[in-house]
Amino acid sequence: MSAQPDTAVEVDGLSKNYGPVAALSSVSFSIESGQYFVLLGPSGGGKTTLLRLIGGFIRPSRGRVLLHGRDVGDEPPNRRPTSMVFQSYALFPHMSVERNVAYGLKLRKMAAPEIGRRVARMLELVGLAGYEARMPHELSGGQQQRVQLARSLVLESDILLLDEPLASLDAKLRKDMCLELKHIQEKVGITFIHVTHNQEEAMTIADRIAIIADGRLVEEGTARDVYERPRRRFTAEFIGDNNLLHGTVSAIAAEPGGRVKVDLGYAEVAVDATVAEGTDVAAGDAVSLSVRSELVELVAPGGAEDGARQTVPATYLEEVYLGLTTSHLVRLPDGSEVAVRRISEGGDAAPPAPGQEVRIGWKTPSARLHVE
Amino acid sequence: MSEDIATTVLQSAGGGRDVPASPSPWRRWLGENGLQKWAFYVPVIFLVLFFVLPMATTVVWSVFERTQFWMEPGFTFFAYENFFTSARAENYVYSMIHSAWAVVISFALGFPIAVFVRRRVPRAAQHRVILLFILPFMISELVRVFAMRPILGRYGVLNSLFMDIGLIDEPITAILFSPLGVVIGDVVSFLPFMVFAGFLAMEAVQPYVFEVCDDLGARTLRTFRDIIVPLAAPGIFAGGIFIFVNGLGVALVPIILGGPGAVNAGLIVNQAIVALDFPLAMAISTIMIATLVALLYIGHRLFDLTKILEPIN
Amino acid sequence: MRDDYTSELGHGLKWAYLLGIVGALLAPVFYVIYISFNEFGFGARIYVFTVDWYRVVLGDKMLVASLEWTIYLALAAVATAVPMGLLSAKLYKKTRYKVAIVTLMLAPLFVPADIMASSLLVFFRHLNGIFELIGEALGWAWLTHWFELGFFTALVGQILYTLPYAFVVILITMSRYHPQQTEAARSCGATAWQAFWHVEFPQIRAGVFSACAFVVILSFNEATRTALLKGGFDTFSNVLVSQMLNVGMSEESYAMAGIMSIGAMTVIGSILIYTLVRSERLEREARAKAEPVMST
Ligand SMILES: Nc1ncnc2c1ncn2[C@@H]1O[C@H](COP(=O)(O)OP(=O)(O)O)[C@@H](O)[C@H]1O
Ligand SMILES: [Mg+2]
């Protein structure tokens, strides 16, 4: 088979249709063993569908799923080396915590003392030692998710699927559980595939992230890649607080390492050509630029115009205090709005008055070019 | 079967990447995507064979030739002629009218109960209150209808009561063994169903609707007419049809409580069977089923009956 | 749901009305039971309590035989209609064609007893004729009696009558079940059957048992379909109907009606009490859950 021995999951041209609805269209990627892999994307994008296809809960309309190089197309969930953690309500409500975790081992007809040992070890790992006799309804949401995790991990399957496991928890708990999930994954060393629509969660835990939207794989890479160097405009819009500027390509430098010039209509800016590598732009193409809001600055009038920085004129709108950061909103001459984000500091200088003409700017390598 | 699954899982769990052999052919056949999947269709197949097919073929039998004890293949509208040119057709129409009265009375008596329970009883207790109506529903219709005799009859409880308090001098005999008796019998038989159907129908009326109405100062009757009934219409209609066709088709009620002139479609069919006129029985059954289908179709066009299913989804 | 402005009197009256209707539906039945214990039957000036009429009924060989048939039929109906109700409820949960399935499942409710019974009667007689023909033509004797009127055809009538109720009762219970628990069990290594038996069934058990009770009672009460489809034997309600028609309101028929209603009330009453007690307990648990149990 084509897969490398250390490829845990390979999906190949996977599609799923529900009647006329294409929940997933021709998605292909592979996941290395032992990775924490996150499927990130907006609701209804097809993440759950993808995860359930891998787990064997639904059959693909087209395409293949290979787990450790083996085509598992005909295997039901209980015959796959995967195990799943659900968003909520998935604990068996009529069984105690201990019996929930022991269930899979009992099905394997393991000896009772051995089951007891493994269950105790697993509850220890997820921080629930002493809760064996509790019933699920006597646990908080976070604890229920830990029990689910224990119930899956105790099976020692080598691929763990998690479908929005933290979505029903409150913000603070979600953050803590997030880190804990990561640590547990590092401890057990198996492949985790985690579905979420929360980008912060994804950034915190992921080794690699795949962006899924409209049933398609938009982009895949390390957390740093998708955040700092989004290749697709969708990624830029979805991840981070990106500003988008629209224009047309006016010139392309011939020499390598040169720059692409983009005409925004009211100004012309340059983009590093390395950014455009792989994208096939020609003069006259409609393109978008994305710049993260923390990389945009308000430029003092009359500041030096050099090649290291691009600036455009704008009208100051207002200041929005967000706690850690403060956002300054400005309007560009074409009507679109841009956010300029700064760490809030006690002694911030007074912002410009609303309506005042200002300039904004960014370091040339900060801008990404997207063709779409 | 569970054992070998356990071993394969154990192998893969032990870190070994042993690939289990692909499932044997018989497992494919018996497995979840083979026979097991088809097991779920057993009730559907059963209903198609023993319900849909018999109901659909009534049309065929209804045009067969009548023989002395049975029927033989043929093509004749004799049974229909027989039905439409005798008192039977008239009786059929009358029994539709009686049935319609039973529907109206059941609605008037039963639906307000459903509204009251939804509106004024705490949510957790609502089902329990409605369960009260299971008790009469589950006592044989036969017994409940039969029990109306000692109540409504010439020497029955009602007459003695009225005579004792001097309301009347002579026992009223017009109730039992008359169309009125049949309507009462239908209401007694099917009223609980209207309460259940109404209760399900009221699921379509969110509690906030009541609050909005109160806020706007709508009077009770107006709220009822303008808001509740339209929202609950599909459920009410389904309950109404149920009572209507059963009033039309259950022979037991006119047999026990009816008299001359108080006959319904069920009883006519019943009598035709007793008289061994099977094509006639099938012709009336066909007309009855056609009536039912027509009513359901109209109801569906008017109210979209699929809305009733929303609570169970 | 009640607010502070609801009139107490009006509310009380509405409750009185509700209970009054339940009472009005039940009172005649209780009156029948009351009469069935009178030595002198209906219409007598004096009332002397006796269980003699019940003794007469239960001493009647024919009636006891009919009671046996009734029980066999009821057991057969439970053994078939409840599993079928369960299968169809599961199918309903899975399928995309929900409206079609539910229409088909509930349609028998809307075909009145006498219509369905006579259609089935004619259908089975034709089917029987066809099978006899084939059996004779091929010399396969075992084929000839499949659809002769008898226990099997009566059972078909009863299944058609009880299946919709079993389906609805089980479906309503199932709507409270979270299907991801089945998936969780599957991912723990359970087969579809194990997942159902270990995880889903314990949670819908109450509904399945209620469905069993419903089917037993409905089957006991059913008279019309059985009367036409049964062939040679009589059930209890068949005998009661013919008693009422031929003898009129005899003391025995009061006792028989008494047996049927007391039986039904006992079964349904115990289920109601069990359900109420259970929902009380569930509510207590829910309250306990609502209180913060501990920190995380
Ligand atoms: N069982 C189903 N039947 C019909 N449509 C479905 C079903 N499951 C998912 N879909 C559709 O498929 C799309 C993707 O859904 P899903 O995978 O749940 O998205 P996500 O998990 O990313 O929010 C949605 O448009 C959804 O409506
Ligand atoms: Mg999802």
Side-chain angles (χ1 to χ4, degrees), chain B residues 63-181:
Chain B
V63 295
F64 272 27
E65 301 270 4
R66 182 184 175 185
T67 61
Q68 197 176 357
F69 300 109
W70 184 225
M71 51 169 77
E72 59 187 24
F75 187 80
T76 169
F77 288 114
F78 184 75
Y80 290 92
E81 258 176 66
N82 191 346
F83 174 77
F84 283 108
T85 55
S86 64
R88 294 189 185 97
E90 202 180 327
N91 281 331
Y92 189 90
V93 174
Y94 277 127
S95 78
M96 293 214 320
I97 296 172
H98 301 152
S99 235
W101 273 110
V103 173
V104 171
I105 296 171
S106 301
F107 175 75
L109 290 177
F111 188 63
I113 292 178
V115 178
F116 167 68
V117 172
R118 278 283 187 218
R119 187 168 185 181
R120 300 292 183 206
V121 175
R123 188 139 186 110
Q126 286 178 357
H127 282 96
R128 279 178 254 172
V129 176
I130 288 299
L131 276 182
L132 283 177
F133 287 85
I134 293 274
L135 197 51
F137 188 63
M138 281 284 126
I139 292 172
S140 173
E141 198 187 327
L142 182 60
V143 174
R144 278 182 296 141
V145 174
F146 171 71
M148 296 317 288
R149 274 192 179 185
I151 303 286
L152 302 176
R154 184 181 178 93
Y155 305 107
V157 177
L158 272 191
N159 273 324
S160 359
L161 191 73
F162 287 164
M163 292 215 296
D164 283 352
I165 55 174
L167 212 62
I168 51 174
D169 302 324
E170 283 283 298
I172 309 172
T173 53
I175 305 178
L176 197 56
F177 307 128
S178 72
L180 181 57

Side-chain angles (χ1 to χ4, degrees), chain C residues 249-273:
Chain C
M249 304 195 298
S250 67
E251 282 78 6
E252 282 101 326
S253 52
Y254 276 97
M256 288 172 72
I259 290 176
M260 291 187 69
S261 43
I262 292 171
M265 278 196 272
T266 313
V267 176
I268 284 298
S270 2
I271 292 181
L272 286 189
I273 290 169

Side-chain angles (χ1 to χ4, degrees), chain A residues 47-48 163-164 195:
Chain A
K47 308 180 295 294
T48 299
D163 190 0
E164 312 239 5
V195 159

